[in-house]
mmCIF file of all heavy atoms in Angstrom:
data_model
loop_
_atom_site.group_PDB
_atom_site.id
_atom_site.type_symbol
_atom_site.label_atom_id
_atom_site.label_comp_id
_atom_site.label_asym_id
_atom_site.label_seq_id
_atom_site.Cartn_x
_atom_site.Cartn_y
_atom_site.Cartn_z
ATOM 1 N N GLU A 119 -12.688 1.401 -18.076
ATOM 2 C CA GLU A 119 -13.365 0.101 -18.058
ATOM 3 C C GLU A 119 -12.344 -1.026 -17.924
ATOM 4 O O GLU A 119 -11.378 -1.094 -18.679
ATOM 5 C CB GLU A 119 -14.169 -0.078 -19.342
ATOM 6 C CG GLU A 119 -14.971 -1.371 -19.380
ATOM 7 C CD GLU A 119 -15.688 -1.553 -20.708
ATOM 8 O OE1 GLU A 119 -14.986 -1.756 -21.726
ATOM 9 O OE2 GLU A 119 -16.918 -1.471 -20.727
ATOM 10 N N TRP A 120 -12.573 -1.919 -16.941
ATOM 11 C CA TRP A 120 -11.686 -3.044 -16.669
ATOM 12 C C TRP A 120 -12.429 -4.348 -16.935
ATOM 13 O O TRP A 120 -13.575 -4.504 -16.491
ATOM 14 C CB TRP A 120 -11.223 -3.029 -15.209
ATOM 15 C CG TRP A 120 -10.349 -1.846 -14.859
ATOM 16 C CD1 TRP A 120 -10.741 -0.555 -14.746
ATOM 17 C CD2 TRP A 120 -8.954 -1.876 -14.596
ATOM 18 N NE1 TRP A 120 -9.680 0.245 -14.410
ATOM 19 C CE2 TRP A 120 -8.547 -0.541 -14.309
ATOM 20 C CE3 TRP A 120 -7.997 -2.877 -14.547
ATOM 21 C CZ2 TRP A 120 -7.251 -0.204 -14.001
ATOM 22 C CZ3 TRP A 120 -6.692 -2.548 -14.228
ATOM 23 C CH2 TRP A 120 -6.321 -1.233 -13.972
ATOM 24 N N PRO A 121 -11.802 -5.299 -17.609
ATOM 25 C CA PRO A 121 -12.480 -6.565 -17.889
ATOM 26 C C PRO A 121 -12.528 -7.517 -16.692
ATOM 27 O O PRO A 121 -13.169 -8.563 -16.749
ATOM 28 C CB PRO A 121 -11.646 -7.168 -19.020
ATOM 29 C CG PRO A 121 -10.278 -6.631 -18.778
ATOM 30 C CD PRO A 121 -10.480 -5.229 -18.249
ATOM 31 N N THR A 122 -11.840 -7.170 -15.612
ATOM 32 C CA THR A 122 -11.810 -8.006 -14.405
ATOM 33 C C THR A 122 -11.852 -7.109 -13.184
ATOM 34 O O THR A 122 -11.528 -5.909 -13.263
ATOM 35 C CB THR A 122 -10.538 -8.883 -14.377
ATOM 36 O OG1 THR A 122 -10.596 -9.761 -13.253
ATOM 37 C CG2 THR A 122 -9.275 -8.039 -14.284
ATOM 38 N N ASP A 123 -12.249 -7.661 -12.069
ATOM 39 C CA ASP A 123 -12.365 -6.870 -10.844
ATOM 40 C C ASP A 123 -10.980 -6.415 -10.383
ATOM 41 O O ASP A 123 -10.127 -7.230 -10.027
ATOM 42 C CB ASP A 123 -13.030 -7.716 -9.754
ATOM 43 C CG ASP A 123 -13.327 -6.916 -8.492
ATOM 44 O OD1 ASP A 123 -12.950 -5.733 -8.421
ATOM 45 O OD2 ASP A 123 -13.946 -7.488 -7.564
ATOM 46 N N PRO A 124 -10.717 -5.095 -10.363
ATOM 47 C CA PRO A 124 -9.383 -4.612 -9.990
ATOM 48 C C PRO A 124 -9.234 -4.297 -8.502
ATOM 49 O O PRO A 124 -8.213 -3.740 -8.091
ATOM 50 C CB PRO A 124 -9.257 -3.331 -10.814
ATOM 51 C CG PRO A 124 -10.654 -2.794 -10.830
ATOM 52 C CD PRO A 124 -11.578 -3.998 -10.824
ATOM 53 N N THR A 125 -10.237 -4.654 -7.703
ATOM 54 C CA THR A 125 -10.252 -4.239 -6.293
ATOM 55 C C THR A 125 -8.964 -4.595 -5.565
ATOM 56 O O THR A 125 -8.428 -3.799 -4.779
ATOM 57 C CB THR A 125 -11.445 -4.881 -5.561
ATOM 58 O OG1 THR A 125 -12.651 -4.500 -6.208
ATOM 59 C CG2 THR A 125 -11.482 -4.447 -4.104
ATOM 60 N N PHE A 126 -8.437 -5.798 -5.817
ATOM 61 C CA PHE A 126 -7.290 -6.279 -5.038
ATOM 62 C C PHE A 126 -5.963 -6.203 -5.804
ATOM 63 O O PHE A 126 -4.981 -6.837 -5.409
ATOM 64 C CB PHE A 126 -7.555 -7.712 -4.572
ATOM 65 C CG PHE A 126 -8.770 -7.823 -3.683
ATOM 66 C CD1 PHE A 126 -9.958 -8.348 -4.166
ATOM 67 C CD2 PHE A 126 -8.721 -7.356 -2.388
ATOM 68 C CE1 PHE A 126 -11.085 -8.427 -3.361
ATOM 69 C CE2 PHE A 126 -9.843 -7.432 -1.566
ATOM 70 C CZ PHE A 126 -11.030 -7.964 -2.050
ATOM 71 N N LEU A 127 -5.917 -5.420 -6.843
ATOM 72 C CA LEU A 127 -4.648 -5.227 -7.550
ATOM 73 C C LEU A 127 -3.747 -4.304 -6.730
ATOM 74 O O LEU A 127 -4.181 -3.225 -6.292
ATOM 75 C CB LEU A 127 -4.886 -4.615 -8.930
ATOM 76 C CG LEU A 127 -5.518 -5.532 -9.987
ATOM 77 C CD1 LEU A 127 -5.800 -4.750 -11.261
ATOM 78 C CD2 LEU A 127 -4.602 -6.715 -10.285
ATOM 79 N N PRO A 128 -2.489 -4.685 -6.495
ATOM 80 C CA PRO A 128 -1.591 -3.833 -5.690
ATOM 81 C C PRO A 128 -1.208 -2.558 -6.429
ATOM 82 O O PRO A 128 -0.991 -2.563 -7.644
ATOM 83 C CB PRO A 128 -0.372 -4.735 -5.458
ATOM 84 C CG PRO A 128 -0.430 -5.774 -6.528
ATOM 85 C CD PRO A 128 -1.864 -5.960 -6.882
ATOM 86 N N VAL A 129 -1.151 -1.461 -5.669
ATOM 87 C CA VAL A 129 -0.853 -0.153 -6.277
ATOM 88 C C VAL A 129 0.335 0.547 -5.619
ATOM 89 O O VAL A 129 0.559 1.739 -5.844
ATOM 90 C CB VAL A 129 -2.089 0.767 -6.198
ATOM 91 C CG1 VAL A 129 -3.212 0.219 -7.041
ATOM 92 C CG2 VAL A 129 -2.532 0.981 -4.756
ATOM 93 N N GLY A 130 1.126 -0.161 -4.793
ATOM 94 C CA GLY A 130 2.265 0.475 -4.151
ATOM 95 C C GLY A 130 1.932 0.970 -2.759
ATOM 96 O O GLY A 130 0.828 0.760 -2.247
ATOM 97 N N PRO A 131 2.858 1.651 -2.110
ATOM 98 C CA PRO A 131 2.666 2.056 -0.707
ATOM 99 C C PRO A 131 1.802 3.302 -0.575
ATOM 100 O O PRO A 131 1.699 4.117 -1.497
ATOM 101 C CB PRO A 131 4.099 2.335 -0.242
ATOM 102 C CG PRO A 131 4.799 2.791 -1.484
ATOM 103 C CD PRO A 131 4.200 1.999 -2.616
ATOM 104 N N ASP A 132 1.182 3.436 0.586
ATOM 105 C CA ASP A 132 0.506 4.664 0.968
ATOM 106 C C ASP A 132 1.574 5.599 1.542
ATOM 107 O O ASP A 132 1.920 5.527 2.725
ATOM 108 C CB ASP A 132 -0.572 4.354 2.008
ATOM 109 C CG ASP A 132 -1.362 5.592 2.434
ATOM 110 O OD1 ASP A 132 -0.931 6.713 2.106
ATOM 111 O OD2 ASP A 132 -2.392 5.431 3.114
ATOM 112 N N GLU A 133 2.092 6.485 0.682
ATOM 113 C CA GLU A 133 3.231 7.313 1.077
ATOM 114 C C GLU A 133 2.881 8.252 2.227
ATOM 115 O O GLU A 133 3.714 8.518 3.096
ATOM 116 C CB GLU A 133 3.731 8.121 -0.128
ATOM 117 C CG GLU A 133 4.456 7.291 -1.172
ATOM 118 C CD GLU A 133 5.825 6.799 -0.693
ATOM 119 O OE1 GLU A 133 6.280 7.257 0.385
ATOM 120 O OE2 GLU A 133 6.425 5.960 -1.378
ATOM 121 N N GLN A 134 1.654 8.768 2.246
ATOM 122 C CA GLN A 134 1.269 9.674 3.321
ATOM 123 C C GLN A 134 1.288 8.956 4.668
ATOM 124 O O GLN A 134 1.823 9.476 5.661
ATOM 125 C CB GLN A 134 -0.113 10.249 3.036
ATOM 126 C CG GLN A 134 -0.574 11.249 4.101
ATOM 127 C CD GLN A 134 -1.940 11.839 3.791
ATOM 128 O OE1 GLN A 134 -2.523 11.550 2.747
ATOM 129 N NE2 GLN A 134 -2.462 12.665 4.697
ATOM 130 N N LEU A 135 0.722 7.747 4.704
ATOM 131 C CA LEU A 135 0.740 6.968 5.944
ATOM 132 C C LEU A 135 2.167 6.622 6.340
ATOM 133 O O LEU A 135 2.530 6.689 7.518
ATOM 134 C CB LEU A 135 -0.084 5.696 5.760
ATOM 135 C CG LEU A 135 -0.050 4.695 6.920
ATOM 136 C CD1 LEU A 135 -0.617 5.308 8.185
ATOM 137 C CD2 LEU A 135 -0.799 3.417 6.559
ATOM 138 N N LEU A 136 2.975 6.264 5.348
ATOM 139 C CA LEU A 136 4.368 5.900 5.632
ATOM 140 C C LEU A 136 5.100 7.047 6.312
ATOM 141 O O LEU A 136 5.816 6.842 7.306
ATOM 142 C CB LEU A 136 5.065 5.508 4.330
ATOM 143 C CG LEU A 136 6.541 5.134 4.447
ATOM 144 C CD1 LEU A 136 6.714 3.852 5.253
ATOM 145 C CD2 LEU A 136 7.166 4.965 3.063
ATOM 146 N N GLN A 137 4.925 8.250 5.824
ATOM 147 C CA GLN A 137 5.615 9.396 6.414
ATOM 148 C C GLN A 137 5.090 9.696 7.812
ATOM 149 O O GLN A 137 5.854 10.092 8.699
ATOM 150 C CB GLN A 137 5.454 10.623 5.506
ATOM 151 C CG GLN A 137 6.109 10.471 4.138
ATOM 152 C CD GLN A 137 7.558 10.016 4.226
ATOM 153 O OE1 GLN A 137 8.331 10.497 5.076
ATOM 154 N NE2 GLN A 137 7.943 9.085 3.351
ATOM 155 N N GLN A 138 3.793 9.487 8.031
ATOM 156 C CA GLN A 138 3.234 9.693 9.374
ATOM 157 C C GLN A 138 3.841 8.717 10.373
ATOM 158 O O GLN A 138 4.190 9.097 11.500
ATOM 159 C CB GLN A 138 1.715 9.525 9.328
ATOM 160 C CG GLN A 138 0.972 10.632 8.617
ATOM 161 C CD GLN A 138 -0.524 10.347 8.527
ATOM 162 O OE1 GLN A 138 -0.979 9.251 8.867
ATOM 163 N NE2 GLN A 138 -1.288 11.330 8.055
ATOM 164 N N LEU A 139 3.974 7.461 9.960
ATOM 165 C CA LEU A 139 4.533 6.447 10.857
ATOM 166 C C LEU A 139 5.997 6.745 11.169
ATOM 167 O O LEU A 139 6.446 6.617 12.314
ATOM 168 C CB LEU A 139 4.385 5.066 10.222
ATOM 169 C CG LEU A 139 2.942 4.578 10.005
ATOM 170 C CD1 LEU A 139 2.939 3.260 9.239
ATOM 171 C CD2 LEU A 139 2.226 4.422 11.335
ATOM 172 N N LYS A 140 6.743 7.134 10.138
ATOM 173 C CA LYS A 140 8.153 7.474 10.362
ATOM 174 C C LYS A 140 8.287 8.675 11.279
ATOM 175 O O LYS A 140 9.181 8.724 12.145
ATOM 176 C CB LYS A 140 8.836 7.743 9.023
ATOM 177 C CG LYS A 140 9.119 6.509 8.195
ATOM 178 C CD LYS A 140 9.907 6.871 6.937
ATOM 179 C CE LYS A 140 10.325 5.640 6.170
ATOM 180 N NZ LYS A 140 11.115 5.977 4.949
ATOM 181 N N ALA A 141 7.387 9.664 11.106
ATOM 182 C CA ALA A 141 7.444 10.858 11.948
ATOM 183 C C ALA A 141 7.188 10.525 13.412
ATOM 184 O O ALA A 141 7.677 11.216 14.312
ATOM 185 C CB ALA A 141 6.429 11.887 11.452
ATOM 186 N N ARG A 142 6.439 9.463 13.668
ATOM 187 C CA ARG A 142 6.179 9.023 15.038
ATOM 188 C C ARG A 142 7.322 8.199 15.616
ATOM 189 O O ARG A 142 7.257 7.744 16.749
ATOM 190 C CB ARG A 142 4.896 8.196 15.093
ATOM 191 C CG ARG A 142 3.627 8.996 14.876
ATOM 192 C CD ARG A 142 2.411 8.078 14.933
ATOM 193 N NE ARG A 142 1.171 8.811 14.812
ATOM 194 C CZ ARG A 142 0.500 9.351 15.830
ATOM 195 N NH1 ARG A 142 0.985 9.229 17.061
ATOM 196 N NH2 ARG A 142 -0.621 10.006 15.641
ATOM 197 N N GLY A 143 8.360 7.960 14.814
ATOM 198 C CA GLY A 143 9.495 7.174 15.284
ATOM 199 C C GLY A 143 9.302 5.686 15.148
ATOM 200 O O GLY A 143 10.026 4.906 15.779
ATOM 201 N N LEU A 144 8.336 5.276 14.350
ATOM 202 C CA LEU A 144 8.071 3.855 14.150
ATOM 203 C C LEU A 144 8.822 3.327 12.936
ATOM 204 O O LEU A 144 8.962 4.028 11.921
ATOM 205 C CB LEU A 144 6.569 3.619 13.967
ATOM 206 C CG LEU A 144 5.717 3.860 15.213
ATOM 207 C CD1 LEU A 144 4.248 3.962 14.844
ATOM 208 C CD2 LEU A 144 5.938 2.741 16.231
ATOM 209 N N MET A 145 9.297 2.114 13.040
ATOM 210 C CA MET A 145 10.047 1.466 11.964
ATOM 211 C C MET A 145 9.068 0.699 11.076
ATOM 212 O O MET A 145 8.452 -0.261 11.508
ATOM 213 C CB MET A 145 11.083 0.505 12.565
ATOM 214 C CG MET A 145 11.891 -0.253 11.538
ATOM 215 S SD MET A 145 12.715 -1.675 12.298
ATOM 216 C CE MET A 145 11.337 -2.824 12.437
ATOM 217 N N PRO A 146 8.917 1.109 9.799
ATOM 218 C CA PRO A 146 7.974 0.396 8.930
ATOM 219 C C PRO A 146 8.572 -0.918 8.406
ATOM 220 O O PRO A 146 9.749 -0.993 8.059
ATOM 221 C CB PRO A 146 7.733 1.376 7.769
ATOM 222 C CG PRO A 146 8.423 2.647 8.158
ATOM 223 C CD PRO A 146 9.478 2.286 9.142
ATOM 224 N N VAL A 147 7.746 -1.941 8.393
ATOM 225 C CA VAL A 147 8.074 -3.205 7.744
ATOM 226 C C VAL A 147 7.083 -3.353 6.589
ATOM 227 O O VAL A 147 5.875 -3.474 6.821
ATOM 228 C CB VAL A 147 7.961 -4.390 8.720
ATOM 229 C CG1 VAL A 147 8.201 -5.712 7.996
ATOM 230 C CG2 VAL A 147 8.953 -4.237 9.867
ATOM 231 N N TYR A 148 7.579 -3.311 5.362
ATOM 232 C CA TYR A 148 6.705 -3.273 4.192
ATOM 233 C C TYR A 148 6.303 -4.672 3.772
ATOM 234 O O TYR A 148 7.141 -5.582 3.709
ATOM 235 C CB TYR A 148 7.425 -2.570 3.041
ATOM 236 C CG TYR A 148 6.535 -2.260 1.852
ATOM 237 C CD1 TYR A 148 5.368 -1.517 2.015
ATOM 238 C CD2 TYR A 148 6.867 -2.703 0.574
ATOM 239 C CE1 TYR A 148 4.560 -1.212 0.927
ATOM 240 C CE2 TYR A 148 6.066 -2.401 -0.516
ATOM 241 C CZ TYR A 148 4.906 -1.656 -0.329
ATOM 242 O OH TYR A 148 4.104 -1.371 -1.403
ATOM 243 N N ARG A 149 5.013 -4.857 3.458
ATOM 244 C CA ARG A 149 4.475 -6.152 3.082
ATOM 245 C C ARG A 149 3.841 -6.055 1.689
ATOM 246 O O ARG A 149 2.639 -5.754 1.555
ATOM 247 C CB ARG A 149 3.452 -6.622 4.119
ATOM 248 C CG ARG A 149 4.008 -6.651 5.548
ATOM 249 C CD ARG A 149 3.243 -7.600 6.417
ATOM 250 N NE ARG A 149 3.380 -8.961 5.945
ATOM 251 C CZ ARG A 149 2.835 -10.024 6.547
ATOM 252 N NH1 ARG A 149 2.105 -9.850 7.638
ATOM 253 N NH2 ARG A 149 2.988 -11.236 6.052
ATOM 254 N N PRO A 150 4.614 -6.290 0.635
ATOM 255 C CA PRO A 150 4.082 -6.175 -0.730
ATOM 256 C C PRO A 150 3.275 -7.403 -1.129
ATOM 257 O O PRO A 150 3.483 -8.506 -0.618
ATOM 258 C CB PRO A 150 5.343 -6.055 -1.574
ATOM 259 C CG PRO A 150 6.371 -6.829 -0.817
ATOM 260 C CD PRO A 150 6.043 -6.626 0.644
ATOM 261 N N TYR A 151 2.356 -7.193 -2.067
ATOM 262 C CA TYR A 151 1.553 -8.288 -2.607
ATOM 263 C C TYR A 151 2.127 -8.737 -3.949
ATOM 264 O O TYR A 151 2.709 -7.940 -4.695
ATOM 265 C CB TYR A 151 0.102 -7.853 -2.805
ATOM 266 C CG TYR A 151 -0.653 -7.614 -1.528
ATOM 267 C CD1 TYR A 151 -1.046 -6.332 -1.170
ATOM 268 C CD2 TYR A 151 -0.989 -8.668 -0.687
ATOM 269 C CE1 TYR A 151 -1.751 -6.105 0.011
ATOM 270 C CE2 TYR A 151 -1.693 -8.452 0.489
ATOM 271 C CZ TYR A 151 -2.062 -7.165 0.829
ATOM 272 O OH TYR A 151 -2.755 -6.949 1.994
ATOM 273 N N ALA A 152 1.936 -10.007 -4.239
ATOM 274 C CA ALA A 152 2.353 -10.553 -5.528
ATOM 275 C C ALA A 152 1.135 -10.644 -6.443
ATOM 276 O O ALA A 152 0.080 -11.106 -6.024
ATOM 277 C CB ALA A 152 2.976 -11.936 -5.346
ATOM 278 N N ASP A 153 1.303 -10.193 -7.687
ATOM 279 C CA ASP A 153 0.246 -10.319 -8.685
ATOM 280 C C ASP A 153 0.898 -10.318 -10.059
ATOM 281 O O ASP A 153 1.671 -9.405 -10.382
ATOM 282 C CB ASP A 153 -0.763 -9.172 -8.573
ATOM 283 C CG ASP A 153 -2.052 -9.482 -9.297
ATOM 284 O OD1 ASP A 153 -2.005 -9.694 -10.535
ATOM 285 O OD2 ASP A 153 -3.107 -9.516 -8.643
#
């Protein structure tokens, strides 16, 4: 139970997606959220 809407709370990177992008030879640029 959360006293506030947690929908937009940052939880870190999607590691699976990150590895897929790297495997394709793409350079990731990470965009973190502030909270």
Side-chain angles (χ1 to χ4, degrees):
E119 183 184 68
W120 294 71
T122 185
D123 186 356
T125 302
F126 299 104
L127 288 175
V129 294
D132 182 348
E133 288 290 351
Q134 182 179 357
L135 174 62
L136 179 66
Q137 296 309 318
Q138 289 176 352
L139 296 174
K140 286 185 174 181
R142 290 179 176 272
L144 291 165
M145 178 197 77
V147 176
Y148 190 56
R149 305 203 64 178
Y151 291 112
D153 197 299

